[in-house]
């Protein structure tokens, strides 16, 4: 697969989002591990997770543990696999999502993620979502401290606006390597952040790039232009969507969520789909 960069680390142009394998409606572990192995077989080297990707209060970090087991049991070389996780979101177990961006919490959450992933340093650690009760600079200061202490190798942020991207990069001393924001045909409000990342050379990781768990399968029926272009190329509308994102800027690395081997294989094929300028313009204006 074609590669792109997160900081100084090369990764496949399409990553794997792990959330669907651990939250409500999650499949059995055997299918999830098969999905991760299929991704690795296809050349995926970026796997995205978070300590909040779990369902019940007693299985915090379910997705991190699952990914660690899948990578450990894979028969091939995994030395170039970058596992990205996040801290700062909390799921108390009642289906809700809450926030905790306090420095002490982020540092303790990182320690727990280190244990679940079974590593000495996390490849990429990202502040999951701003906490309005905690100054943003304080939360990012904790990420900086983890980076300086060698607990994490790369630092990123998620769900951030342009002002927060610039502030985080400044606090991190120019070491911000990734921004993970929601971006899809249905959700384009992160266009300014994507453009800023392209300007600064920071990887932009669209989450829910196909519209989310409940909508990904219907992308073509919801957005006719993507279905029309897909028909012309003889591929899925989902492939066209990911190829469109890749064509927007060389810093874009989509991380479609998957819980089936066949869907991640289809997503990975988008890395080899080159859209014409005419098709790209049609999709960009859709």
């Amino acid at each position: 697969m074609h590669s792109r960069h997160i900081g100084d680390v090369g990764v496949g142009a399409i990553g794997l989002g792990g959330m669907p394998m651990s939250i409500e409606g999650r499949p059995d572990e055997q299918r999830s591990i098969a999905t991760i192995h299929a991704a690795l077989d296809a050349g995926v080297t970026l796997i995205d997770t978070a300590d909040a990707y779990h369902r019940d209060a007693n299985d915090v970090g379910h997705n991190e543990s699952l990914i660690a087991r899948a990578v450990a049991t894979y028969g091939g070389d995994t030395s170039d696999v970058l596992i990205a996780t996040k801290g700062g979101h909390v799921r108390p177990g009642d289906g809700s999502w809450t926030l905790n961006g306090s420095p002490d919490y982020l540092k303790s959450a990182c320690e727990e993620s280190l244990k679940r992933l079974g590593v000495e340093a996390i490849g990429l650690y990202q502040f999951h979502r701003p906490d309005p009760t905690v100054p943003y600079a304080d939360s990012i200061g904790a990420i900086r401290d983890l980076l300086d202490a060698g607990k994490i190798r790369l630092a990123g942020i998620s769900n951030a606006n342009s002002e927060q991207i610039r502030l985080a990069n400044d606090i991190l001393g120019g070491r911000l390597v990734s921004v993970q924001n929601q971006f899809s045909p249905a959700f384009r409000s992160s266009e300014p952040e994507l453009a800023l990342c392209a300007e600064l050379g920071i990887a932009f990781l669209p989450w829910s790039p196909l519209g989310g768990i409940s909508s990904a399968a219907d992308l073509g029926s919801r957005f006719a232009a993507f279905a029309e272009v897909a028909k012309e190329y003889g591929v899925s509308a989902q492939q066209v969507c990911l190829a469109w994102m890749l064509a927007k800027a060389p810093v874009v690395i989509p991380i479609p969520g998957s819980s089936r081997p066949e869907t991640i294989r289809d997503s990975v094929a988008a890395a080899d789909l080159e859209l014409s300028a005419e098709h790209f313009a049609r999709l960009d204006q859709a």
Side-chain angles (χ1 to χ4, degrees):
M1 183 171 19
H2 299 298
S3 65
R4 297 198 165 185
H5 281 82
I6 300 178
D8 59 359
V9 177
V11 297
I14 301 290
L16 170 65
M19 187 176 76
M21 293 180 270
S22 291
I23 63 168
E24 290 78 0
R26 66 194 187 195
D28 61 73
E29 183 169 306
Q30 184 177 2
R31 193 179 94 189
S32 292
I33 289 179
T35 300
I36 297 167
H37 287 178
L40 296 171
D41 286 341
V44 168
T45 55
L46 171 64
I47 303 177
D48 179 76
T49 183
D51 61 0
Y53 294 166
H54 62 92
R55 184 184 61 199
D56 307 313
N58 62 353
D59 71 347
V60 174
H62 177 276
N63 198 242
E64 292 177 323
S65 300
L66 172 69
I67 288 168
R69 285 194 296 275
V71 172
T73 58
Y74 182 66
D77 181 14
T78 58
S79 60
D80 60 347
V81 174
L82 178 65
I83 298 177
T85 192
K86 300 180 285 295
H89 236 339
V90 183
R91 299 206 77 193
D94 59 0
S96 66
W97 297 75
T98 60
L99 300 169
N100 192 338
S102 71
D104 287 346
Y105 174 76
L106 289 172
K107 290 177 182 180
S108 65
C110 178
E111 292 290 347
E112 294 303 312
S113 291
L114 281 164
K115 294 174 187 175
R116 285 188 290 265
L117 293 171
V119 295
E120 294 183 359
I122 293 171
L124 171 60
Y125 195 70
Q126 302 165 103
F127 179 39
H128 203 154
R129 188 179 287 272
D131 181 350
T133 69
V134 178
Y136 195 70
D138 291 355
S139 299
I140 301 303
I143 304 298
R144 177 200 59 215
D145 293 346
L146 291 168
L147 188 60
D148 290 342
K151 299 286 185 178
I152 64 177
R153 293 195 172 96
L154 299 169
I157 55 177
S158 184
N159 302 297
N161 61 33
S162 294
E163 181 182 354
Q164 290 164 336
I165 292 170
R166 292 187 184 279
L167 176 60
N169 197 37
D170 183 57
I171 292 170
L172 290 166
R175 295 177 293 172
L176 180 68
V177 300
S178 66
V179 173
Q180 184 177 146
N181 277 13
Q182 184 176 10
F183 188 77
S184 70
F187 192 95
R188 302 195 188 189
S189 61
S190 284
E191 287 273 12
E193 288 75 30
L194 191 162
L196 177 59
C197 285
E199 174 190 333
L200 298 176
I202 295 170
F204 184 85
L205 315 179
W207 63 264
S208 288
L210 303 177
I213 296 172
S214 61
S215 302
D218 302 324
L219 188 149
S221 61
R222 297 173 65 218
F223 299 94
F226 288 84
E228 292 162 4
V229 173
K231 186 176 181 180
E232 293 183 40
Y233 282 95
V235 300
S236 69
Q238 290 78 12
Q239 273 190 47
V240 168
C241 177
L242 297 173
W244 162 68
M245 290 187 183
L246 290 172
K248 289 185 73 66
V251 298
V252 176
I253 307 171
I255 47 172
S258 179
S259 63
R260 297 178 183 274
E262 55 268 29
T263 55
I264 189 58
R265 291 190 192 107
D266 185 75
S267 291
V268 166
D272 294 320
L273 179 59
E274 294 187 17
L275 300 172
S276 69
E278 177 187 350
H279 285 135
F280 174 79
R282 192 198 311 180
L283 296 170
D284 220 37
Q285 295 165 11

